[in-house]
Amino acid sequence: MDKIWIFDLDNTLHDAQKKIFPLINKKINLYISKKVKINLTDADELRQKYWNYYGATLEGLIKHHNINPKDFLEKTHTFENFEELVCPMQDLIEVVSSINGQKLVYTNAPRAYTDKVLKICQIENYFDGIFSIEDCNFLAKPSKISMELFIKKYRIKKAYFVDDVKENLKTASQFGLSTIWLTSERETPSYIDKKISKLKDLINA
């Protein structure tokens, strides 16, 4: 049986922190400020608070402020100059094309955004499935419910999971997945099976 490889999207397949994340965060702050009726400073604090607690700001907004998730995602993840904002990881096409087995994207990002990022990175044809925030009823990683829905959908028993967020990998390890942490951090938690500093390290993983 072919190996199954699961990839996070933001800051794993492309460098979201470099350009697009700061803009998304600004859009989220504006959205929160308008909907919750607070100033931008408080909105920024609330955004970060929910991201830290839930793994995604959206889940907190749904639970505590009855935000419409589809409206939120459309208004915060849409850009006219999308192509200028996506920065593929170094050697991305080489890495993705050289890895044998089924390849899946498991992301907290919305589907339309994910599709655009993969297309701009020219890797959309290398993946066999995409599991976005809509597929788990807007419950973001590291939620165990989200992980269970993902595993059931693709009938996964064993797989390698690559993510830049260690909390997501902690949940994955509880479901028996092999965890690969893309990071420059020095720590190595017990639930991390392998650390890599760049995506190309996967070729020899």
Side-chain angles (χ1 to χ4, degrees), residues 106-163:
Y106 178 18
T107 176
N108 286 342
R111 180 60 186 259
Y113 168 95
T114 302
D115 287 342
K116 287 180 180 178
V117 170
L118 294 178
K119 186 173 183 179
I120 292 168
C121 290
Q122 300 180 8
I123 57 171
E124 72 271 26
N125 294 327
Y126 292 107
F127 289 92
D128 303 288
I130 296 170
F131 193 86
S132 65
I133 194 70
E134 296 94 338
D135 294 306
C136 52
N137 300 318
F138 306 103
L139 294 173
K141 294 180 291 181
S143 163
K144 290 183 180 180
I145 296 173
S146 173
M147 180 66 68
E148 188 172 11
L149 289 170
F150 170 70
I151 286 175
K152 282 186 175 180
K153 179 174 182 177
Y154 293 102
R155 299 177 181 178
I156 296 171
K157 293 182 179 179
K158 292 183 178 181
Y160 296 94
F161 186 18
V162 187
D163 202 312

Side-chain angles (χ1 to χ4, degrees), residues 47-179:
R47 173 187 62 78
Q48 191 64 49
K49 174 185 175 182
Y50 288 156
W51 192 91
N52 290 338
Y53 188 81
Y54 294 107
T57 302
L58 175 57
E59 188 171 340
L61 292 175
I62 293 171
K63 287 186 176 181
H64 301 289
H65 307 281
N66 200 30
I67 292 297
N68 182 308
K70 293 182 179 179
D71 180 67
F72 170 86
L73 292 170
E74 182 178 352
K75 285 185 169 63
T76 59
H77 287 72
T78 301
F79 300 92
E80 290 184 3
N81 59 333
F82 218 113
E83 291 191 1
E84 300 171 16
L85 303 174
V86 177
C87 304
M89 288 299 191
Q90 186 177 1
D91 303 310
L92 177 61
I93 294 177
E94 179 188 353
V95 172
V96 174
S97 62
S98 66
I99 291 176
N100 296 320
Q102 185 181 17
K103 290 182 278 288
L104 306 169
V105 173
Y106 178 18
T107 176
N108 286 342
R111 180 60 186 259
Y113 168 95
T114 302
D115 287 342
K116 287 180 180 178
V117 170
L118 294 178
K119 186 173 183 179
I120 292 168
C121 290
Q122 300 180 8
I123 57 171
E124 72 271 26
N125 294 327
Y126 292 107
F127 289 92
D128 303 288
I130 296 170
F131 193 86
S132 65
I133 194 70
E134 296 94 338
D135 294 306
C136 52
N137 300 318
F138 306 103
L139 294 173
K141 294 180 291 181
S143 163
K144 290 183 180 180
I145 296 173
S146 173
M147 180 66 68
E148 188 172 11
L149 289 170
F150 170 70
I151 286 175
K152 282 186 175 180
K153 179 174 182 177
Y154 293 102
R155 299 177 181 178
I156 296 171
K157 293 182 179 179
K158 292 183 178 181
Y160 296 94
F161 186 18
V162 187
D163 202 312
D164 67 293
V165 178
K166 66 179 185 296
E167 289 80 7
N168 298 339
L169 295 170
K170 183 176 182 179
T171 300
S173 72
Q174 294 169 355
F175 284 81
L177 303 185
S178 297
T179 56

